[in-house]
Amino acid sequence: MHPLRKLALGIFGLLLILATFPTLAVQLHSLIKPSQVKSSGTTVNMYNHLTNKIQPIPLDDYLVGVVAAEMPASFPAEALKAQAVAARTYIMQRLSPGGIKNSLHPGADVSSDPREGQAWISREEMEKRWGKIKSLEYYYKIKWAVDNTQGQVITYKSQLIFPAFHASCGGSTENAEEVWVTSAPYLKGVPCPFCADPNPDRQVTYTLADLDQKLKTNLSAIPVSTSKNKVVAITKETNTGRPKEIKLGNKTYSATMLREMLNLRSTRITWTLTDDKITFTTKGYGHGVGLCQYGAKGLAEQGKSYNEILKHYYTGVEITEMR
């Protein structure tokens, strides 16, 4: 690839990352210590993207809403506790003196939109999703997980981490720098042998003409007799064997960028080429960095505690009590 084109793609990819995770670069290198923050009596000023208003919520109520939105309530208690600690760590970065600011919604600490951080749902939404009786069971199950990890956060060398998490890794997680350019010593790829996603594989099919329009490639102009590995090919892999760069016709894209542009579920991508169509098959769901939620479910079912789960997915961390 021409150096200038490669530089342009790199810059575009970084802008795409920052647009999706506007504070990621800061979060990965957070210097906030747990001693600077406290959980007792804390209120979260959350921008509710459904009402377009800033809503003050007690911290524990906010965490219950996050866990309910981000992880299936049917998961084992230890998995829910792991998610609660990760969620608390995330919001504590934002609430700390000198912490992460929400530039998209001035006056808010955080947004309920999952594209801008952590998802959140209300008690009313829980009832809509689960029904009146089941919502009571699940609410108190999640509240128990939050209450029984009271004040606990994840730290690396006495500093709060950026607790990245995703739904399903498909067998192993990924190094942060392989996905987001920026690295973090605690966000390293690890095996995930008990990833319990019941439907890890998904397929999306595009015609070559559709891809040409979306990606500005020349696939439909390539002769049918051309070798398939010259039409679409992996040009670089991550340390865990995922595609890192994929060439389609006359252009090369990072797997992260391709996932966003083609609305694929993960970067663990394979494909088949038939006539004028390409079918992409993905394994897992999400960026693949940090805590794998279905992996946490699997580990909990193997008898692992939430501490063990968190320390498996976040390398070299400690679970620390805030004051």
Side-chain angles (χ1 to χ4, degrees):
M1 184 193 300
H2 192 281
L4 290 178
R5 178 174 292 176
K6 190 169 185 179
L7 176 60
L9 285 173
I11 293 172
F12 177 78
L14 182 58
L15 290 174
L16 181 65
I17 292 164
L18 294 177
T20 307
F21 302 96
T23 56
L24 177 64
V26 179
Q27 288 171 321
L28 289 181
H29 295 286
S30 172
L31 298 178
I32 301 165
K33 297 183 178 181
S35 60
Q36 295 175 286
V37 296
K38 61 186 180 69
S39 62
S40 178
T42 297
T43 296
V44 177
N45 291 313
M46 183 194 72
Y47 177 81
N48 190 326
H49 75 287
L50 297 178
T51 64
N52 295 321
K53 294 180 180 179
I54 294 176
Q55 180 178 344
I57 311 173
L59 174 62
D60 285 354
D61 290 346
Y62 169 74
L63 293 174
V64 170
V66 170
V67 176
E70 291 285 7
M71 178 175 276
S74 60
F75 277 18
E78 293 302 305
L80 293 171
K81 287 161 74 174
Q83 185 69 60
V85 176
R88 186 181 294 107
T89 304
Y90 179 89
I91 190 60
M92 284 300 106
Q93 285 190 322
R94 291 179 172 267
L95 296 177
S96 304
I100 309 303
K101 299 301 179 185
N102 191 336
S103 58
L104 295 176
H105 309 290
D109 301 311
V110 70
S111 168
S112 64
D113 189 337
R115 295 169 297 180
E116 300 170 2
Q118 301 188 122
W120 178 90
I121 59 173
S122 64
R123 290 289 300 273
E124 291 75 19
E125 181 60 31
M126 294 178 204
E127 189 171 315
K128 288 179 183 177
R129 290 189 182 189
W130 303 322
K132 185 171 291 187
I133 302 301
K134 202 68 176 177
S135 68
L136 285 173
E137 175 193 340
Y138 282 164
Y139 170 79
Y140 285 106
K141 181 181 179 182
I142 294 168
K143 188 177 186 302
W144 182 89
V146 171
D147 291 346
N148 279 267
T149 58
Q150 188 71 44
Q152 295 181 19
V153 291
I154 313 166
T155 60
Y156 179 82
K157 294 186 177 179
S158 301
Q159 297 168 1
L160 294 172
I161 73 164
F162 171 58
F165 58 85
H166 59 282
S168 167
C169 69
S172 62
T173 64
E174 192 59 87
N175 295 338
E177 63 270 22
E178 301 280 18
V179 177
W180 294 322
V181 182
T182 305
S183 65
Y186 50 82
L187 292 178
K188 297 298 181 185
V190 297
C192 189
F194 302 109
C195 186
D197 187 347
N199 298 297
D201 297 340
R202 294 295 173 89
Q203 292 186 333
V204 178
T205 299
Y206 288 99
T207 66
L208 300 184
D210 286 341
L211 287 178
D212 284 345
Q213 186 174 5
K214 285 178 176 291
L215 306 177
K216 309 304 178 186
T217 49
N218 67 334
L219 295 170
S220 57
I222 296 175
V224 177
S225 59
T226 304
S227 173
K228 289 184 178 181
N229 63 4
K230 291 185 178 180
V231 178
V232 186
I234 297 171
T235 56
K236 189 180 292 186
E237 290 187 342
T238 69
N239 290 334
T240 63
R242 296 179 185 226
K244 187 172 183 178
E245 289 184 355
I246 299 174
K247 184 178 181 182
L248 295 96
N250 60 342
K251 292 195 174 183
T252 301
Y253 291 93
S254 72
T256 300
M257 192 187 309
L258 198 64
R259 179 197 167 208
E260 294 290 337
M261 297 177 77
L262 299 183
N263 196 30
L264 304 177
R265 285 168 60 92
S266 80
T267 58
R268 196 180 288 278
I269 306 168
T270 57
W271 55 84
T272 56
L273 179 60
T274 307
D275 299 327
D276 66 337
K277 294 179 181 179
I278 297 179
T279 297
F280 295 97
T281 300
T282 56
K283 192 175 185 66
Y285 190 13
H287 48 65
V289 179
L291 174 73
C292 169
Q293 292 172 320
Y294 272 98
K297 175 181 185 286
L299 287 173
E301 290 171 342
Q302 294 295 314
K304 300 297 183 182
S305 70
Y306 73 98
N307 277 274
E308 292 173 307
I309 292 169
L310 291 171
K311 289 181 179 181
H312 175 76
Y313 290 109
Y314 302 116
T315 303
V317 303
E318 299 294 334
I319 310 304
T320 305
E321 293 271 356
M322 296 187 300
R323 59 183 173 86

